[in-house]
Amino acid sequence: MKITRPILSAATLTVIACSVFGLTACTPIAQPAQKADAAGAQQLDRILAGDQRSAANRARDVYRHPKETLEFFGARPGMTIVEIYPGAGWYTEILAPLVHGSGKFYAAHYDPDSPGKGAQESLQSYRDMLAARPDLYGEVQVTALSATKTAIAPPGSVDLVVTFRNIHDWMRGGYAPVAFKAMYDALKPGGVLGVEEHRGRADQPQDPQAKSGYVREDFAIAMIESVGFKLLARSEINANRKDTKDYVKGVWTLPPTYADGDNDRAKYTAIGESDRFTLKFIKPAK
């Protein structure tokens, strides 16, 4: 007589394996999470193709890899996200629509009380960008981060903090550990910090002020972990091995800034934007 055996689901097989082998930290395969991830990826694709992004901003996707970077950090709808120093809003154009209507988005920008003209102009330009598209940015909450202002979001309320190429600025200002402590305080236990920065040469000492714009990866990891974070993962999504990191005018010699004007412009265009490390940290659960 032929015996017909039932077909078991992947989740059921996982539970059986856990029982047989005595695995106490075994979790069944989460099919709903996979579907949610797929939906989030599709939403990112729609946002990246949206009319809120200029042709100039889209042209930088080849260097910045926004979809891959945000997926590595785990960004998805429904989250509470803080973007640190959003500048003109390149990543805000992607992140704010991603959580619009389902989560919260905080933009920790320059201190509005700063006497610096550049900081004030940057902040006003960002506010103008938000005001131009209330359908996408009407829920954005602008906060401030400085050496003395660290309330970037309510304590323990944030799922994900992201910062893109800002560490050198804080090092030059002398308050990098203060900035990372502010991020640590804003995150929930188990929350994630995503960091991208121009990667300095490992065979040279780190300039404490990072005047070239480059920061050694090991230096950044040690500093970030010193405030309580733990490194979860590294990615080479934004690596660029053509970047020799030996320019008189620092990282700003490369596109898009071209700090050296037309001198060797074709050479720097061929190199592209800087070599960058991309790191994912967690605020450990107590």
Side-chain angles (χ1 to χ4, degrees):
M1 181 177 69
K2 181 179 179 181
I3 299 174
T4 303
R5 294 180 174 84
I7 298 175
L8 302 179
S9 68
T12 302
L13 289 171
T14 303
V15 171
I16 293 171
C18 291
S19 301
V20 171
F21 295 104
L23 301 177
T24 59
C26 198
T27 303
I29 296 172
Q31 298 296 339
Q34 291 177 350
K35 291 179 181 178
D37 290 344
Q42 291 173 359
Q43 186 165 347
L44 267 176
D45 286 335
R46 290 194 294 271
I47 292 169
L48 288 167
D51 64 0
Q52 82 282 8
R53 305 188 70 222
S54 66
N57 281 356
R58 288 179 186 166
R60 298 187 70 186
D61 288 356
V62 66
Y63 301 115
R64 292 191 166 187
H65 311 99
K67 182 180 180 181
E68 296 84 354
T69 299
L70 294 178
E71 287 181 332
F72 174 67
F73 291 157
R76 60 183 181 273
M79 280 185 158
T80 296
I81 297 177
V82 177
E83 181 183 0
I84 307 295
Y85 282 11
W90 197 94
Y91 259 106
T92 298
E93 289 182 343
I94 305 166
L95 285 166
L98 181 67
V99 299
H100 182 83
S102 66
K104 294 181 180 179
F105 184 80
Y106 295 91
H109 214 296
Y110 293 131
D111 184 348
D113 296 325
S114 169
K117 182 180 178 181
Q120 292 300 322
E121 290 177 347
S122 177
L123 178 57
Q124 186 57 52
S125 177
Y126 184 76
R127 290 186 182 277
D128 291 344
M129 183 204 81
L130 298 182
R133 290 295 302 266
D135 57 317
L136 296 178
Y137 311 130
E139 299 174 357
V140 174
Q141 298 183 54
V142 180
T143 59
L145 176 64
S146 69
T148 57
K149 292 186 178 180
T150 57
I152 60 175
S157 68
V158 177
D159 299 297
L160 174 66
V161 175
V162 293
T163 176
F164 303 96
R165 302 166 308 283
N166 290 314
I167 301 175
H168 59 278
D169 287 327
W170 303 327
M171 290 172 64
R172 186 168 61 248
Y175 63 99
V178 171
F180 284 113
K181 182 61 165 57
M183 300 175 217
Y184 185 91
D185 291 342
L187 281 165
K188 301 173 181 177
V192 168
L193 168 64
V195 177
E196 179 196 304
E197 178 59 291
H198 309 293
R199 177 164 34 206
R201 291 175 55 168
D203 62 346
Q204 294 182 355
Q206 177 63 55
D207 170 13
Q209 292 192 318
K211 290 186 291 291
S212 69
Y214 289 100
V215 179
R216 282 178 50 148
E217 187 170 355
D218 58 344
F219 181 92
I221 292 171
M223 175 170 54
I224 295 168
E225 289 194 327
S226 73
V227 303
F229 286 106
K230 297 299 179 186
L231 180 65
L232 274 181
R234 310 180 194 215
S235 174
E236 291 299 289
I237 296 168
N238 297 300
N240 179 4
R241 301 309 178 198
K242 296 179 182 178
D243 181 5
T244 55
K245 313 172 188 184
D246 56 358
Y247 321 111
V248 173
K249 297 190 177 181
V251 70
W252 302 281
T253 305
L254 298 176
T257 307
Y258 291 106
D260 206 20
D262 290 332
N263 293 331
D264 291 325
R265 192 180 183 93
K267 169 187 171 181
Y268 300 132
T269 299
I271 291 173
E273 295 193 16
S274 68
D275 176 39
R276 297 157 183 172
F277 59 74
T278 308
L279 306 172
K280 184 176 180 179
F281 296 85
I282 189 171
K283 176 179 178 176
K286 299 293 185 182

